[in-house]
Amino acid sequence: MAAAVVVAYFLLPLDHLGPQRPVLSWVLFALLLTVVAVLLLRQIRHVLLDRPDSRPGVVISLLIVLSVHVFSAAYYALAKSPGEFNGLHTRIDALYFTVVTLATVGYGDITPRGQAARVVTVLQITYSFVFLTAAATALTTRMRDRVVRGPQRGRSR
């Protein structure tokens, strides 16, 4: 599934978004981020409720990959507007900028100049702090609990 997300990112007609269709671009961006956030919260709930039928390791990882590509697509579309970005020209540039922002490295070779680009960058940082951190914390908590409880189950038999 993660490979399908990556392939879709490179094959989807993102050049038709951005300044040519700003309303559609913003609606799709908001809709996709909302769907990913809701699905992440659902997985977090499954972890907290310790639902045995859930597979948060797979789903959360896929949702993180999806959120990275949603932001990358948004940056790529925004870069089509003059003055929004310096140094962002290709989908690889957009993916690179998204990962660098997610990792809080900030090399400085690609910079958001326009107000819309800065808003989306701030939104990505906030989104990462809230949703991705919560999902990663829930996932590591579940894994730790499974490791700790695993040997105890074996001893009780």
Side-chain angles (χ1 to χ4, degrees):
M1 288 296 288
V5 170
V6 174
V7 169
Y9 170 72
F10 285 102
L11 294 180
L12 286 173
L14 300 177
D15 293 319
H16 298 293
L17 297 174
Q20 292 111 346
R21 295 185 176 97
V23 173
L24 176 63
S25 300
W26 285 108
V27 168
L28 279 174
F29 177 64
L31 180 66
L32 288 170
L33 275 188
T34 301
V35 167
V36 172
V38 167
L39 292 173
L40 280 168
L41 290 172
R42 184 173 177 226
Q43 288 302 308
I44 292 167
R45 192 175 112 239
H46 288 185
V47 169
L48 294 175
L49 296 175
D50 198 23
R51 291 191 53 184
D53 60 333
S54 67
R55 298 189 56 181
V58 173
V59 178
I60 288 174
S61 299
L62 178 60
L63 291 171
I64 289 172
V65 168
L66 185 58
S67 69
V68 164
H69 285 85
V70 168
F71 278 105
S72 295
Y75 292 136
Y76 181 72
L78 272 172
K80 301 295 179 196
S81 295
E84 287 297 331
F85 276 99
N86 282 351
L88 198 156
H89 306 289
T90 67
R91 292 176 197 230
I92 295 289
D93 290 342
L95 187 57
Y96 164 81
F97 179 75
T98 304
V99 172
V100 167
T101 302
L102 179 64
T104 66
V105 177
Y107 294 128
D109 53 341
I110 298 175
T111 53
R113 293 283 185 210
Q115 295 303 297
R118 289 179 177 184
V119 165
V120 174
T121 304
V122 168
L123 183 60
Q124 181 194 348
I125 293 166
T126 305
Y127 189 90
S128 297
F129 281 147
V130 174
F131 294 104
L132 301 185
T133 302
T137 301
L139 185 57
T140 56
T141 300
R142 180 166 182 161
M143 294 170 105
R144 185 187 69 232
D145 290 347
R146 297 250 173 173
V147 168
V148 170
R149 283 190 286 175
Q152 292 173 352
R153 286 184 188 158
R155 289 184 195 145
S156 65
R157 291 182 186 173

